[in-house]
Every structure is written in structure tokens, then in C-alpha cells.
Amino acid sequence: MVSKEAGTYQVDTPLPKEIGSITAARGIARRVLTECGYQGHHEDVLLVVSELVTNALVHGDGPPSLRMRGSASKVRIEVSDEGERLPEPREPGPANGWGLHVVRLLSTGWGISPRDGGKVVWCELAARLAPLQAAPRES
């Protein structure tokens, strides 16, 4: 489902429980970023989407679902699955992967919300907009 409201863009899409869902989720994220005019680093958002969907596929239960809301200045990403086991950040590295560590580094905030029938892992990224500069004064 896709909606546009007051300068924001939202999409809520169930994904199949298959590795191809990572590519599909990145395509959806690209569309959201374009449609909402997000002015931050699109590559950061795509990486975070990949990590969250991968974690849901590898460590979660059932098919994941991707929800994104975006505007020019911020994006919220939510990936849900049916698993009740909550993710635990581990020491990042080749043995444990980089997933939630990358999400934490690139996001302005992130968290895990248990819900009936599973959980939602969410994060928000904000565009670093240049500060407004005052016009020079005339003498």
C-alpha cells in the first residue's frame, strides 16, 4: 500500500521469505526516496534497508514486511517479522556480521518493538541539510 500525505510518502509492503526480498526491498526504498525527495544519502538508507531485511530473513520467523515513511528531511524504516525473539547487538566483525552496528551508526535513532505475533525493528535517518546563511548586509 502506498500513500502520500502532507509532503510525506509511505509504503507498507509484505515481502516473501526468500533472499530476493533484499533486492526487492532496496527497489522499494529507492522509489520512496525519490518520491519523497529525501535529501540525505540514499546509499545509507539502502544499506540499512538491506541489513534489516537480511536480519529478518536470517534470524526472524515468517515473511518480513517493510514499511517506510519519508520526507525531504527524514526517513523511517520498519521491518517486521513473526518471530518473538528480539535481536541482540553483538560485537561487529566477520564472525558476527555488521548488521545492527551499521544500523546504529547510520541512524539518528533505532529500536526494537515487540508486538502481538512478532516484532518490529525500526530506525530513522535524517538528511544533513546545510544551515541557512543570512544574506549579506548592505552598507
Side-chain angles (χ1 to χ4, degrees), residues 61 80-86 113-120:
D61 293 325
S80 60
D81 69 72
E82 299 168 3
E84 292 183 13
R85 189 179 65 170
L86 301 181
S113 302
R115 63 177 176 96
D116 283 343
K119 65 183 165 300
V120 175

mmCIF file of all heavy atoms in Angstrom, residues 61 80-86 113-120:
data_model
loop_
_atom_site.group_PDB
_atom_site.id
_atom_site.type_symbol
_atom_site.label_atom_id
_atom_site.label_comp_id
_atom_site.label_asym_id
_atom_site.label_seq_id
_atom_site.Cartn_x
_atom_site.Cartn_y
_atom_site.Cartn_z
ATOM 1 N N ASP A 61 11.189 -15.038 12.019
ATOM 2 C CA ASP A 61 10.271 -16.107 11.632
ATOM 3 C C ASP A 61 9.244 -15.538 10.670
ATOM 4 O O ASP A 61 8.793 -14.404 10.823
ATOM 5 C CB ASP A 61 9.553 -16.682 12.856
ATOM 6 C CG ASP A 61 10.493 -17.416 13.791
ATOM 7 O OD1 ASP A 61 11.441 -18.045 13.301
ATOM 8 O OD2 ASP A 61 10.262 -17.357 15.010
ATOM 9 N N SER A 80 9.287 -5.762 9.992
ATOM 10 C CA SER A 80 8.661 -6.637 10.980
ATOM 11 C C SER A 80 8.732 -8.084 10.513
ATOM 12 O O SER A 80 8.876 -8.365 9.320
ATOM 13 C CB SER A 80 7.199 -6.221 11.209
ATOM 14 O OG SER A 80 6.463 -6.297 10.010
ATOM 15 N N ASP A 81 8.655 -8.987 11.486
ATOM 16 C CA ASP A 81 8.537 -10.414 11.195
ATOM 17 C C ASP A 81 7.753 -11.046 12.336
ATOM 18 O O ASP A 81 7.408 -10.377 13.306
ATOM 19 C CB ASP A 81 9.916 -11.068 10.987
ATOM 20 C CG ASP A 81 10.746 -11.152 12.249
ATOM 21 O OD1 ASP A 81 10.406 -11.972 13.138
ATOM 22 O OD2 ASP A 81 11.736 -10.417 12.362
ATOM 23 N N GLU A 82 7.460 -12.326 12.194
ATOM 24 C CA GLU A 82 6.611 -13.022 13.160
ATOM 25 C C GLU A 82 7.379 -13.609 14.339
ATOM 26 O O GLU A 82 6.782 -14.193 15.231
ATOM 27 C CB GLU A 82 5.833 -14.123 12.436
ATOM 28 C CG GLU A 82 4.923 -13.575 11.353
ATOM 29 C CD GLU A 82 4.360 -14.650 10.437
ATOM 30 O OE1 GLU A 82 4.622 -15.857 10.669
ATOM 31 O OE2 GLU A 82 3.666 -14.279 9.483
ATOM 32 N N GLY A 83 8.697 -13.467 14.361
ATOM 33 C CA GLY A 83 9.493 -14.029 15.447
ATOM 34 C C GLY A 83 9.370 -13.212 16.721
ATOM 35 O O GLY A 83 9.359 -11.984 16.683
ATOM 36 N N GLU A 84 9.302 -13.905 17.831
ATOM 37 C CA GLU A 84 9.208 -13.211 19.124
ATOM 38 C C GLU A 84 10.584 -12.941 19.724
ATOM 39 O O GLU A 84 10.715 -12.097 20.601
ATOM 40 C CB GLU A 84 8.349 -14.032 20.085
ATOM 41 C CG GLU A 84 6.898 -14.072 19.632
ATOM 42 C CD GLU A 84 5.998 -14.827 20.597
ATOM 43 O OE1 GLU A 84 6.439 -15.110 21.739
ATOM 44 O OE2 GLU A 84 4.872 -15.129 20.201
ATOM 45 N N ARG A 85 11.600 -13.661 19.266
ATOM 46 C CA ARG A 85 12.957 -13.464 19.781
ATOM 47 C C ARG A 85 13.481 -12.118 19.304
ATOM 48 O O ARG A 85 13.510 -11.829 18.108
ATOM 49 C CB ARG A 85 13.871 -14.594 19.310
ATOM 50 C CG ARG A 85 15.233 -14.577 19.973
ATOM 51 C CD ARG A 85 16.047 -15.713 19.496
ATOM 52 N NE ARG A 85 16.284 -15.492 18.069
ATOM 53 C CZ ARG A 85 17.127 -16.187 17.338
ATOM 54 N NH1 ARG A 85 17.784 -17.173 17.862
ATOM 55 N NH2 ARG A 85 17.307 -15.911 16.060
ATOM 56 N N LEU A 86 13.880 -11.274 20.246
ATOM 57 C CA LEU A 86 14.358 -9.936 19.905
ATOM 58 C C LEU A 86 15.835 -9.977 19.522
ATOM 59 O O LEU A 86 16.621 -10.699 20.140
ATOM 60 C CB LEU A 86 14.150 -8.991 21.088
ATOM 61 C CG LEU A 86 12.707 -8.836 21.573
ATOM 62 C CD1 LEU A 86 12.638 -7.857 22.731
ATOM 63 C CD2 LEU A 86 11.788 -8.403 20.448
ATOM 64 N N SER A 113 10.613 -3.083 18.752
ATOM 65 C CA SER A 113 9.313 -3.017 19.419
ATOM 66 C C SER A 113 8.620 -4.369 19.312
ATOM 67 O O SER A 113 8.260 -4.792 18.203
ATOM 68 C CB SER A 113 8.425 -1.949 18.768
ATOM 69 O OG SER A 113 9.048 -0.697 18.813
ATOM 70 N N PRO A 114 8.447 -5.059 20.450
ATOM 71 C CA PRO A 114 7.667 -6.302 20.398
ATOM 72 C C PRO A 114 6.217 -5.960 20.055
ATOM 73 O O PRO A 114 5.728 -4.875 20.373
ATOM 74 C CB PRO A 114 7.762 -6.856 21.820
ATOM 75 C CG PRO A 114 8.775 -6.037 22.526
ATOM 76 C CD PRO A 114 8.935 -4.763 21.785
ATOM 77 N N ARG A 115 5.543 -6.855 19.383
ATOM 78 C CA ARG A 115 4.122 -6.685 19.089
ATOM 79 C C ARG A 115 3.488 -8.062 19.061
ATOM 80 O O ARG A 115 4.189 -9.073 18.993
ATOM 81 C CB ARG A 115 3.918 -5.955 17.764
ATOM 82 C CG ARG A 115 4.450 -6.707 16.562
ATOM 83 C CD ARG A 115 4.149 -5.961 15.280
ATOM 84 N NE ARG A 115 4.736 -6.631 14.164
ATOM 85 C CZ ARG A 115 4.106 -7.493 13.361
ATOM 86 N NH1 ARG A 115 2.848 -7.780 13.576
ATOM 87 N NH2 ARG A 115 4.717 -8.066 12.367
ATOM 88 N N ASP A 116 2.170 -8.096 19.124
ATOM 89 C CA ASP A 116 1.483 -9.383 19.036
ATOM 90 C C ASP A 116 1.876 -10.072 17.744
ATOM 91 O O ASP A 116 1.784 -9.481 16.674
ATOM 92 C CB ASP A 116 -0.037 -9.189 19.068
ATOM 93 C CG ASP A 116 -0.554 -8.898 20.469
ATOM 94 O OD1 ASP A 116 0.183 -9.163 21.440
ATOM 95 O OD2 ASP A 116 -1.694 -8.415 20.582
ATOM 96 N N GLY A 117 2.337 -11.279 17.864
ATOM 97 C CA GLY A 117 2.712 -12.032 16.677
ATOM 98 C C GLY A 117 4.053 -11.665 16.086
ATOM 99 O O GLY A 117 4.287 -11.895 14.907
ATOM 100 N N GLY A 118 4.953 -11.080 16.880
ATOM 101 C CA GLY A 118 6.283 -10.812 16.353
ATOM 102 C C GLY A 118 6.922 -9.559 16.894
ATOM 103 O O GLY A 118 6.743 -9.194 18.051
ATOM 104 N N LYS A 119 7.661 -8.879 16.030
ATOM 105 C CA LYS A 119 8.406 -7.688 16.429
ATOM 106 C C LYS A 119 8.611 -6.772 15.234
ATOM 107 O O LYS A 119 8.452 -7.181 14.089
ATOM 108 C CB LYS A 119 9.767 -8.076 17.001
ATOM 109 C CG LYS A 119 10.668 -8.717 15.949
ATOM 110 C CD LYS A 119 11.966 -9.153 16.541
ATOM 111 C CE LYS A 119 12.729 -10.102 15.652
ATOM 112 N NZ LYS A 119 12.060 -11.340 15.333
ATOM 113 N N VAL A 120 8.976 -5.537 15.535
ATOM 114 C CA VAL A 120 9.341 -4.553 14.521
ATOM 115 C C VAL A 120 10.708 -3.999 14.899
ATOM 116 O O VAL A 120 10.919 -3.584 16.043
ATOM 117 C CB VAL A 120 8.320 -3.385 14.464
ATOM 118 C CG1 VAL A 120 8.786 -2.325 13.487
ATOM 119 C CG2 VAL A 120 6.934 -3.890 14.119
#
